[in-house]
Amino acid sequence: EAAAGEVAERIAGLFTAAGLDAADDPLRDAAVAVERAEAELRRLEERREQAAELHEQRAGHEREARVARALAGHLRANNFERWLLAEALDLLVDGASRILRELSNGQYDLVHDKGEFFVVDHHDAGLRRGVRTLSGGETFQASLALALALSEQLAGMSTTAASLESIVLDEGFGTLDAATLDTVAATLENLAARGDRMVGVVTHVPALAERIPLRFEVRKDARTARVERTGL
């Protein structure tokens, strides 16, 4: 009886510590307490899920706020034009770099930094060189790549689905040395091999003209001029 009494006192102490009255029916009171605790646990779990959702929403709102602040800065009169030009230049250089890589058989990429243009020479361990250090042939390749990229962008911005399917290069070859002229001719041949546009060249340089498969030669005499088709 004494041992049972000690156990009963300990049980009563546990009930008192839990805020329960075990005088009437301890089993029922314990069952009710467990049910209440489980209900409270479910409420806490639901609130934790809600807190996680709110945390995610807050992170999303903070991201939107950062974008809004950035846009507000870009849309200021003194920043919008600068931002727009920078975006257009990035697109232009990316397109020109892709074309230059094709025209140079994988040797060059074109990049820019703070308004300056550079080429990356993959035949020289990726050396980055300013465009002012390029040879005549390399300068021609880079300039042609920029012109082609610009024509693609203009066609893409057209509201009438315009297609620029030809390019005509008028002169500019008479002062080139033999090595540079060979680079120019090889570049034009690579450009024509792409097959996406017709390439026309106006030149007085026989060495360049002879490498063009279809030619229209203009011959003049004292009285008149005539056009003769040669090649393909």
Side-chain angles (χ1 to χ4, degrees):
E1 289 178 355
E6 291 178 0
V7 173
E9 289 179 1
R10 289 200 300 270
I11 292 175
L14 292 173
F15 272 73
T16 301
L20 302 174
D21 185 7
D24 297 330
D25 189 349
L27 292 177
R28 180 181 61 79
D29 291 344
V32 171
V34 169
E35 186 176 343
R36 290 175 178 172
E38 290 176 345
E40 182 65 19
L41 176 61
R42 287 192 295 271
R43 285 194 295 272
L44 289 174
E45 290 174 343
E46 291 174 356
R47 292 178 65 183
R48 286 187 62 184
E49 292 177 357
Q50 292 173 357
E53 293 177 358
L54 291 173
H55 181 75
E56 185 176 349
Q57 291 178 10
R58 176 182 175 181
H61 292 322
E62 289 176 345
R63 288 193 298 270
E64 291 176 358
R66 288 194 295 270
V67 172
R69 286 193 294 269
L71 285 175
H74 290 320
L75 290 172
R76 291 193 186 99
N78 60 337
N79 288 337
F80 179 70
E81 182 179 357
R82 187 184 307 116
W83 171 79
L84 187 62
L85 290 174
E87 289 293 311
L89 183 59
D90 287 342
L91 291 174
L92 176 63
V93 173
D94 286 345
S97 181
R98 172 180 51 81
I99 295 172
L100 179 59
R101 197 177 309 119
E102 295 178 12
L103 296 179
S104 63
N105 292 318
Q107 181 173 359
Y108 297 118
D109 277 332
L110 186 68
V111 296
H112 77 100
D113 183 19
K114 298 178 181 179
E116 294 290 331
F117 287 93
F118 302 88
V119 294
V120 178
D121 190 346
H122 296 292
H123 290 186
D124 193 5
L127 178 66
R128 179 167 165 167
R129 299 160 48 198
V131 292
R132 292 182 178 86
T133 68
L134 300 181
S135 67
E138 293 167 341
T139 300
F140 174 80
Q141 289 180 331
S143 300
L144 180 59
L146 282 168
L148 293 172
L150 182 60
S151 70
E152 291 178 356
Q153 287 193 13
L154 292 175
M157 290 187 294
S158 173
T159 58
T160 58
S163 177
L164 302 179
E165 298 177 350
S166 62
I167 181 171
V168 178
L169 306 175
D170 187 4
E171 287 299 346
F173 310 108
T175 59
L176 302 181
D177 57 41
T180 301
L181 191 63
D182 183 69
T183 301
V184 168
T187 301
L188 294 176
E189 289 168 352
N190 289 341
L191 177 60
R194 294 174 61 190
D196 58 351
R197 70 189 67 216
M198 180 185 69
V199 181
V201 178
V202 180
T203 182
H204 291 88
V205 181
L208 177 61
E210 290 172 357
R211 295 184 61 166
I212 299 175
L214 174 60
R215 302 184 298 276
F216 292 90
E217 299 180 357
V218 180
R219 302 183 184 278
K220 299 174 64 176
D221 55 32
R223 299 180 56 189
T224 185
R226 67 182 186 275
V227 179
E228 295 181 357
R229 171 174 172 167
T230 61
L232 297 176

